Amino acid sequence: QVQVVESGGGLVQAGGSLRLSCTASLLAFGNYALGWFRQSPGKGREGISCISSGGRITYYADSVKGRFTISRDNAKNTLYLQMNSLKAEDTAMYYCAAYVGVSGTRCYAVESRTYWGQGTQVTVSS
């Protein structure tokens, strides 16, 4: 059973920063494309940033481009999301995902294949 666990969420003022972390119990962690998705109340889950297995390909949604940075440490089986200049509209539940599709223009879950964490709440007060 693969376990995906996020951490690092919390309450922060607008303009502040948070760093999310995600660990996954995958035997070949480095072979998986990974991503961060978020969901706000009443909205669907959207892929905001993904990274290829080797780290050469990254994707950022327009809403976070220039403010968020995705990175991975394969030696530690860990994925990160550095979030700067946070806005109230960034408030959401953030989910880590393993086994995703990623290109320069798209980031998406793969039906029946993507592993999900339980999510970590990020709340940005204005």
Short mmCIF file of all heavy atoms in Angstrom, two decimals, residues 50-104:
data_model
loop_
_atom_site.label_atom_id
_atom_site.label_comp_id
_atom_site.label_asym_id
_atom_site.label_seq_id
_atom_site.Cartn_x
_atom_site.Cartn_y
_atom_site.Cartn_z
N CYS A 50 3.56 20.46 -11.44
CA CYS A 50 4.02 19.09 -11.54
C CYS A 50 5.48 19.07 -11.99
O CYS A 50 5.96 20.05 -12.58
CB CYS A 50 3.17 18.29 -12.53
SG CYS A 50 1.50 17.94 -11.95
N ILE A 51 6.13 17.96 -11.75
CA ILE A 51 7.54 17.82 -12.10
C ILE A 51 7.78 16.41 -12.61
O ILE A 51 7.24 15.44 -12.06
CB ILE A 51 8.44 18.15 -10.88
CG1 ILE A 51 9.91 18.16 -11.26
CG2 ILE A 51 8.17 17.21 -9.71
CD1 ILE A 51 10.81 18.76 -10.18
N SER A 52 8.55 16.30 -13.66
CA SER A 52 8.82 14.99 -14.25
C SER A 52 9.74 14.18 -13.34
O SER A 52 10.32 14.70 -12.38
CB SER A 52 9.46 15.16 -15.62
OG SER A 52 10.71 15.84 -15.52
N SER A 53 9.88 12.91 -13.67
CA SER A 53 10.68 12.02 -12.84
C SER A 53 12.12 12.51 -12.69
O SER A 53 12.70 12.45 -11.61
CB SER A 53 10.65 10.60 -13.40
OG SER A 53 11.15 10.60 -14.74
N GLY A 54 12.70 13.01 -13.77
CA GLY A 54 14.06 13.50 -13.71
C GLY A 54 14.19 14.95 -13.30
O GLY A 54 15.30 15.46 -13.13
N GLY A 55 13.06 15.61 -13.19
CA GLY A 55 13.06 17.00 -12.76
C GLY A 55 13.28 18.01 -13.87
O GLY A 55 13.28 19.23 -13.61
N ARG A 56 13.44 17.54 -15.10
CA ARG A 56 13.74 18.49 -16.18
C ARG A 56 12.51 19.21 -16.69
O ARG A 56 12.61 20.29 -17.27
CB ARG A 56 14.41 17.76 -17.33
CG ARG A 56 15.83 17.31 -17.02
CD ARG A 56 16.50 16.73 -18.25
NE ARG A 56 15.80 15.56 -18.76
CZ ARG A 56 16.11 14.98 -19.91
NH1 ARG A 56 17.05 15.48 -20.67
NH2 ARG A 56 15.44 13.92 -20.29
N ILE A 57 11.35 18.60 -16.53
CA ILE A 57 10.12 19.21 -17.00
C ILE A 57 9.29 19.63 -15.79
O ILE A 57 9.04 18.83 -14.89
CB ILE A 57 9.30 18.24 -17.85
CG1 ILE A 57 10.10 17.82 -19.08
CG2 ILE A 57 7.98 18.89 -18.27
CD1 ILE A 57 9.43 16.72 -19.89
N THR A 58 8.90 20.89 -15.78
CA THR A 58 8.01 21.38 -14.73
C THR A 58 6.85 22.12 -15.38
O THR A 58 6.97 22.66 -16.48
CB THR A 58 8.72 22.32 -13.75
OG1 THR A 58 9.30 23.41 -14.47
CG2 THR A 58 9.81 21.60 -12.98
N TYR A 59 5.76 22.12 -14.67
CA TYR A 59 4.58 22.84 -15.11
C TYR A 59 4.06 23.67 -13.95
O TYR A 59 4.05 23.21 -12.80
CB TYR A 59 3.49 21.88 -15.57
CG TYR A 59 2.14 22.54 -15.69
CD1 TYR A 59 1.78 23.24 -16.83
CD2 TYR A 59 1.24 22.51 -14.63
CE1 TYR A 59 0.55 23.87 -16.92
CE2 TYR A 59 0.01 23.14 -14.71
CZ TYR A 59 -0.33 23.82 -15.86
OH TYR A 59 -1.53 24.45 -15.94
N TYR A 60 3.62 24.88 -14.28
CA TYR A 60 2.96 25.74 -13.30
C TYR A 60 1.69 26.31 -13.92
O TYR A 60 1.71 26.78 -15.06
CB TYR A 60 3.86 26.90 -12.88
CG TYR A 60 5.11 26.47 -12.17
CD1 TYR A 60 6.31 26.29 -12.84
CD2 TYR A 60 5.10 26.24 -10.79
CE1 TYR A 60 7.46 25.89 -12.19
CE2 TYR A 60 6.24 25.85 -10.12
CZ TYR A 60 7.42 25.67 -10.82
OH TYR A 60 8.56 25.27 -10.16
N ALA A 61 0.64 26.26 -13.17
CA ALA A 61 -0.58 26.94 -13.60
C ALA A 61 -0.32 28.44 -13.62
O ALA A 61 0.49 28.95 -12.83
CB ALA A 61 -1.72 26.61 -12.64
N ASP A 62 -1.02 29.13 -14.48
CA ASP A 62 -0.84 30.58 -14.59
C ASP A 62 -1.07 31.28 -13.25
O ASP A 62 -0.43 32.28 -12.94
CB ASP A 62 -1.78 31.15 -15.64
CG ASP A 62 -1.37 30.81 -17.06
OD1 ASP A 62 -0.20 30.41 -17.26
OD2 ASP A 62 -2.22 30.92 -17.96
N SER A 63 -1.98 30.73 -12.47
CA SER A 63 -2.34 31.36 -11.20
C SER A 63 -1.20 31.35 -10.18
O SER A 63 -1.22 32.13 -9.23
CB SER A 63 -3.57 30.67 -10.60
OG SER A 63 -3.33 29.30 -10.42
N VAL A 64 -0.21 30.47 -10.37
CA VAL A 64 0.88 30.39 -9.38
C VAL A 64 2.24 30.65 -9.99
O VAL A 64 3.24 30.72 -9.26
CB VAL A 64 0.89 29.01 -8.69
CG1 VAL A 64 -0.48 28.70 -8.09
CG2 VAL A 64 1.32 27.90 -9.64
N LYS A 65 2.30 30.80 -11.29
CA LYS A 65 3.57 30.98 -11.98
C LYS A 65 4.28 32.23 -11.44
O LYS A 65 3.67 33.28 -11.27
CB LYS A 65 3.31 31.11 -13.48
CG LYS A 65 4.53 30.88 -14.35
CD LYS A 65 4.12 30.86 -15.81
CE LYS A 65 3.23 29.67 -16.13
NZ LYS A 65 2.89 29.60 -17.58
N GLY A 66 5.57 32.06 -11.17
CA GLY A 66 6.35 33.16 -10.64
C GLY A 66 6.31 33.30 -9.13
O GLY A 66 7.10 34.06 -8.55
N ARG A 67 5.40 32.59 -8.49
CA ARG A 67 5.28 32.66 -7.03
C ARG A 67 5.59 31.32 -6.35
O ARG A 67 6.09 31.30 -5.23
CB ARG A 67 3.87 33.09 -6.63
CG ARG A 67 3.46 34.45 -7.17
CD ARG A 67 2.11 34.88 -6.62
NE ARG A 67 1.02 33.99 -7.01
CZ ARG A 67 0.24 33.34 -6.15
NH1 ARG A 67 0.41 33.50 -4.85
NH2 ARG A 67 -0.73 32.57 -6.59
N PHE A 68 5.27 30.24 -7.02
CA PHE A 68 5.47 28.90 -6.46
C PHE A 68 6.63 28.22 -7.19
O PHE A 68 6.83 28.43 -8.39
CB PHE A 68 4.22 28.04 -6.62
CG PHE A 68 3.04 28.45 -5.79
CD1 PHE A 68 3.02 29.64 -5.08
CD2 PHE A 68 1.93 27.63 -5.71
CE1 PHE A 68 1.93 30.02 -4.31
CE2 PHE A 68 0.83 27.97 -4.95
CZ PHE A 68 0.83 29.18 -4.27
N THR A 69 7.36 27.38 -6.46
CA THR A 69 8.45 26.60 -7.04
C THR A 69 8.34 25.16 -6.57
O THR A 69 8.30 24.89 -5.37
CB THR A 69 9.81 27.17 -6.64
OG1 THR A 69 9.91 28.54 -7.04
CG2 THR A 69 10.94 26.38 -7.31
N ILE A 70 8.31 24.25 -7.54
CA ILE A 70 8.27 22.82 -7.21
C ILE A 70 9.68 22.25 -7.31
O ILE A 70 10.48 22.66 -8.15
CB ILE A 70 7.30 22.08 -8.16
CG1 ILE A 70 7.01 20.67 -7.67
CG2 ILE A 70 7.83 22.07 -9.60
CD1 ILE A 70 5.88 19.98 -8.43
N SER A 71 9.98 21.32 -6.42
CA SER A 71 11.28 20.65 -6.46
C SER A 71 11.13 19.27 -5.84
O SER A 71 10.13 18.99 -5.16
CB SER A 71 12.34 21.46 -5.72
OG SER A 71 12.02 21.62 -4.35
N ARG A 72 12.12 18.45 -6.06
CA ARG A 72 12.08 17.09 -5.53
C ARG A 72 13.48 16.67 -5.08
O ARG A 72 14.48 17.10 -5.66
CB ARG A 72 11.51 16.12 -6.55
CG ARG A 72 12.35 15.98 -7.82
CD ARG A 72 11.60 15.17 -8.88
NE ARG A 72 11.38 13.79 -8.43
CZ ARG A 72 10.49 12.97 -8.98
NH1 ARG A 72 9.75 13.38 -9.99
NH2 ARG A 72 10.34 11.73 -8.51
N ASP A 73 13.50 15.82 -4.07
CA ASP A 73 14.74 15.22 -3.59
C ASP A 73 14.52 13.71 -3.62
O ASP A 73 13.91 13.14 -2.71
CB ASP A 73 15.05 15.71 -2.17
CG ASP A 73 16.40 15.21 -1.68
OD1 ASP A 73 16.88 14.19 -2.19
OD2 ASP A 73 16.96 15.84 -0.76
N ASN A 74 14.98 13.08 -4.68
CA ASN A 74 14.73 11.66 -4.85
C ASN A 74 15.43 10.81 -3.78
O ASN A 74 14.94 9.73 -3.42
CB ASN A 74 15.15 11.21 -6.24
CG ASN A 74 14.25 11.76 -7.32
OD1 ASN A 74 13.10 12.15 -7.06
ND2 ASN A 74 14.74 11.81 -8.55
N ALA A 75 16.53 11.29 -3.26
CA ALA A 75 17.23 10.55 -2.21
C ALA A 75 16.41 10.48 -0.93
O ALA A 75 16.57 9.57 -0.12
CB ALA A 75 18.59 11.20 -1.93
N LYS A 76 15.53 11.46 -0.74
CA LYS A 76 14.70 11.51 0.46
C LYS A 76 13.24 11.15 0.18
O LYS A 76 12.39 11.27 1.07
CB LYS A 76 14.75 12.92 1.08
CG LYS A 76 16.14 13.32 1.58
CD LYS A 76 16.10 14.70 2.21
CE LYS A 76 17.47 15.09 2.76
NZ LYS A 76 17.46 16.45 3.36
N ASN A 77 12.95 10.74 -1.06
CA ASN A 77 11.56 10.42 -1.43
C ASN A 77 10.62 11.57 -1.08
O ASN A 77 9.50 11.35 -0.57
CB ASN A 77 11.08 9.15 -0.72
CG ASN A 77 11.50 7.89 -1.46
OD1 ASN A 77 12.54 7.87 -2.10
ND2 ASN A 77 10.70 6.84 -1.36
N THR A 78 11.05 12.79 -1.37
CA THR A 78 10.30 13.97 -0.94
C THR A 78 10.09 14.94 -2.08
O THR A 78 11.00 15.20 -2.88
CB THR A 78 11.00 14.68 0.22
OG1 THR A 78 11.19 13.75 1.31
CG2 THR A 78 10.17 15.85 0.73
N LEU A 79 8.89 15.48 -2.12
CA LEU A 79 8.50 16.52 -3.06
C LEU A 79 8.22 17.78 -2.26
O LEU A 79 7.68 17.71 -1.15
CB LEU A 79 7.24 16.09 -3.82
CG LEU A 79 6.62 17.10 -4.77
CD1 LEU A 79 7.49 17.29 -6.01
CD2 LEU A 79 5.21 16.65 -5.16
N TYR A 80 8.57 18.93 -2.83
CA TYR A 80 8.36 20.20 -2.15
C TYR A 80 7.57 21.16 -3.03
O TYR A 80 7.57 21.06 -4.25
CB TYR A 80 9.70 20.86 -1.81
CG TYR A 80 10.62 20.03 -0.97
CD1 TYR A 80 11.66 19.30 -1.55
CD2 TYR A 80 10.44 19.97 0.41
CE1 TYR A 80 12.50 18.53 -0.77
CE2 TYR A 80 11.29 19.19 1.19
CZ TYR A 80 12.31 18.49 0.60
OH TYR A 80 13.15 17.71 1.37
N LEU A 81 6.92 22.10 -2.36
CA LEU A 81 6.31 23.23 -3.06
C LEU A 81 6.57 24.47 -2.21
O LEU A 81 6.00 24.62 -1.13
CB LEU A 81 4.81 23.04 -3.26
CG LEU A 81 4.15 24.13 -4.10
CD1 LEU A 81 4.63 24.04 -5.56
CD2 LEU A 81 2.62 24.02 -4.05
N GLN A 82 7.45 25.33 -2.70
CA GLN A 82 7.71 26.60 -2.04
C GLN A 82 6.71 27.61 -2.55
O GLN A 82 6.63 27.85 -3.76
CB GLN A 82 9.14 27.08 -2.33
CG GLN A 82 9.48 28.42 -1.71
CD GLN A 82 9.51 28.37 -0.20
OE1 GLN A 82 10.04 27.44 0.39
NE2 GLN A 82 8.94 29.40 0.43
N MET A 83 5.95 28.19 -1.64
CA MET A 83 4.90 29.12 -2.02
C MET A 83 5.21 30.48 -1.43
O MET A 83 5.26 30.64 -0.20
CB MET A 83 3.54 28.62 -1.51
CG MET A 83 3.21 27.20 -1.95
SD MET A 83 1.53 26.70 -1.52
CE MET A 83 1.63 26.72 0.26
N ASN A 84 5.44 31.44 -2.30
CA ASN A 84 5.75 32.81 -1.88
C ASN A 84 4.65 33.76 -2.34
O ASN A 84 3.84 33.43 -3.21
CB ASN A 84 7.08 33.25 -2.46
CG ASN A 84 8.25 32.41 -2.00
OD1 ASN A 84 8.25 31.90 -0.88
ND2 ASN A 84 9.25 32.25 -2.85
N SER A 85 4.64 34.94 -1.76
CA SER A 85 3.67 35.98 -2.14
C SER A 85 2.25 35.42 -2.15
O SER A 85 1.50 35.62 -3.11
CB SER A 85 4.02 36.56 -3.51
OG SER A 85 5.32 37.10 -3.51
N LEU A 86 1.91 34.73 -1.10
CA LEU A 86 0.60 34.07 -1.06
C LEU A 86 -0.54 35.08 -1.08
O LEU A 86 -0.45 36.18 -0.51
CB LEU A 86 0.52 33.18 0.18
CG LEU A 86 1.28 31.86 0.03
CD1 LEU A 86 1.56 31.23 1.39
CD2 LEU A 86 0.50 30.90 -0.86
N LYS A 87 -1.62 34.66 -1.72
CA LYS A 87 -2.81 35.49 -1.85
C LYS A 87 -3.99 34.76 -1.22
O LYS A 87 -3.97 33.54 -1.07
CB LYS A 87 -3.11 35.75 -3.33
CG LYS A 87 -1.96 36.34 -4.11
CD LYS A 87 -2.33 36.44 -5.58
CE LYS A 87 -1.19 37.00 -6.41
NZ LYS A 87 -1.54 37.08 -7.85
N ALA A 88 -5.03 35.52 -0.93
CA ALA A 88 -6.22 34.92 -0.34
C ALA A 88 -6.78 33.83 -1.25
O ALA A 88 -7.29 32.81 -0.77
CB ALA A 88 -7.27 36.00 -0.08
N GLU A 89 -6.68 34.02 -2.54
CA GLU A 89 -7.21 33.04 -3.49
C GLU A 89 -6.39 31.75 -3.55
O GLU A 89 -6.79 30.80 -4.23
CB GLU A 89 -7.36 33.65 -4.89
CG GLU A 89 -6.12 34.35 -5.40
CD GLU A 89 -6.17 35.85 -5.18
OE1 GLU A 89 -6.56 36.29 -4.07
OE2 GLU A 89 -5.80 36.59 -6.12
N ASP A 90 -5.27 31.72 -2.87
CA ASP A 90 -4.50 30.47 -2.77
C ASP A 90 -5.06 29.56 -1.67
O ASP A 90 -4.61 28.41 -1.54
CB ASP A 90 -3.03 30.77 -2.47
CG ASP A 90 -2.32 31.47 -3.61
OD1 ASP A 90 -2.56 31.10 -4.77
OD2 ASP A 90 -1.54 32.40 -3.32
N THR A 91 -5.99 30.05 -0.91
CA THR A 91 -6.60 29.24 0.15
C THR A 91 -7.26 28.02 -0.45
O THR A 91 -8.11 28.13 -1.33
CB THR A 91 -7.62 30.08 0.93
OG1 THR A 91 -6.96 31.14 1.61
CG2 THR A 91 -8.37 29.21 1.94
N ALA A 92 -6.86 26.85 0.00
CA ALA A 92 -7.37 25.60 -0.54
C ALA A 92 -6.78 24.43 0.23
O ALA A 92 -5.85 24.61 1.03
CB ALA A 92 -7.00 25.47 -2.02
N MET A 93 -7.31 23.25 -0.05
CA MET A 93 -6.67 22.02 0.39
C MET A 93 -5.67 21.63 -0.69
O MET A 93 -6.03 21.58 -1.87
CB MET A 93 -7.71 20.92 0.59
CG MET A 93 -7.13 19.63 1.15
SD MET A 93 -6.62 19.80 2.87
CE MET A 93 -8.23 19.68 3.67
N TYR A 94 -4.45 21.38 -0.29
CA TYR A 94 -3.39 21.04 -1.24
C TYR A 94 -3.09 19.55 -1.14
O TYR A 94 -2.87 19.01 -0.05
CB TYR A 94 -2.14 21.86 -0.95
CG TYR A 94 -2.26 23.28 -1.43
CD1 TYR A 94 -3.12 24.18 -0.79
CD2 TYR A 94 -1.55 23.75 -2.52
CE1 TYR A 94 -3.26 25.49 -1.24
CE2 TYR A 94 -1.66 25.05 -2.97
CZ TYR A 94 -2.53 25.91 -2.32
OH TYR A 94 -2.66 27.21 -2.78
N TYR A 95 -3.05 18.91 -2.29
CA TYR A 95 -2.82 17.47 -2.37
C TYR A 95 -1.56 17.16 -3.15
O TYR A 95 -1.30 17.76 -4.20
CB TYR A 95 -4.00 16.78 -3.07
CG TYR A 95 -5.31 16.90 -2.36
CD1 TYR A 95 -6.18 17.95 -2.64
CD2 TYR A 95 -5.70 15.97 -1.40
CE1 TYR A 95 -7.39 18.06 -1.99
CE2 TYR A 95 -6.91 16.08 -0.75
CZ TYR A 95 -7.75 17.12 -1.05
OH TYR A 95 -8.95 17.24 -0.39
N CYS A 96 -0.82 16.22 -2.64
CA CYS A 96 0.33 15.69 -3.35
C CYS A 96 -0.11 14.48 -4.15
O CYS A 96 -0.95 13.69 -3.69
CB CYS A 96 1.39 15.30 -2.32
SG CYS A 96 2.86 14.51 -3.01
N ALA A 97 0.46 14.32 -5.33
CA ALA A 97 0.09 13.21 -6.19
C ALA A 97 1.33 12.59 -6.80
O ALA A 97 2.23 13.31 -7.24
CB ALA A 97 -0.86 13.68 -7.29
N ALA A 98 1.34 11.29 -6.84
CA ALA A 98 2.42 10.55 -7.50
C ALA A 98 1.83 9.78 -8.67
O ALA A 98 0.74 9.23 -8.57
CB ALA A 98 3.08 9.60 -6.51
N TYR A 99 2.58 9.71 -9.73
CA TYR A 99 2.14 9.13 -11.01
C TYR A 99 1.14 10.06 -11.66
O TYR A 99 -0.08 9.86 -11.63
CB TYR A 99 1.56 7.73 -10.85
CG TYR A 99 1.52 6.96 -12.16
CD1 TYR A 99 2.35 5.87 -12.35
CD2 TYR A 99 0.66 7.31 -13.20
CE1 TYR A 99 2.33 5.15 -13.53
CE2 TYR A 99 0.64 6.62 -14.38
CZ TYR A 99 1.47 5.53 -14.54
OH TYR A 99 1.45 4.82 -15.71
N VAL A 100 1.68 11.15 -12.22
CA VAL A 100 0.86 12.14 -12.90
C VAL A 100 1.40 12.35 -14.31
O VAL A 100 2.50 11.88 -14.63
CB VAL A 100 0.87 13.49 -12.15
CG1 VAL A 100 0.31 13.33 -10.74
CG2 VAL A 100 2.27 14.09 -12.09
N GLY A 101 0.63 12.99 -15.12
CA GLY A 101 1.10 13.39 -16.43
C GLY A 101 1.58 14.82 -16.37
O GLY A 101 0.95 15.66 -15.73
N VAL A 102 2.69 15.10 -17.03
CA VAL A 102 3.22 16.46 -16.99
C VAL A 102 3.90 16.80 -18.31
O VAL A 102 4.61 15.97 -18.89
CB VAL A 102 4.21 16.65 -15.82
CG1 VAL A 102 5.37 15.68 -15.89
CG2 VAL A 102 4.71 18.09 -15.75
N SER A 103 3.62 18.02 -18.75
CA SER A 103 4.33 18.59 -19.88
C SER A 103 4.49 20.07 -19.58
O SER A 103 4.06 20.53 -18.52
CB SER A 103 3.54 18.38 -21.17
OG SER A 103 2.37 19.18 -21.16
N GLY A 104 5.03 20.79 -20.48
CA GLY A 104 5.19 22.22 -20.25
C GLY A 104 3.87 22.96 -20.19
O GLY A 104 3.81 24.09 -19.71
#
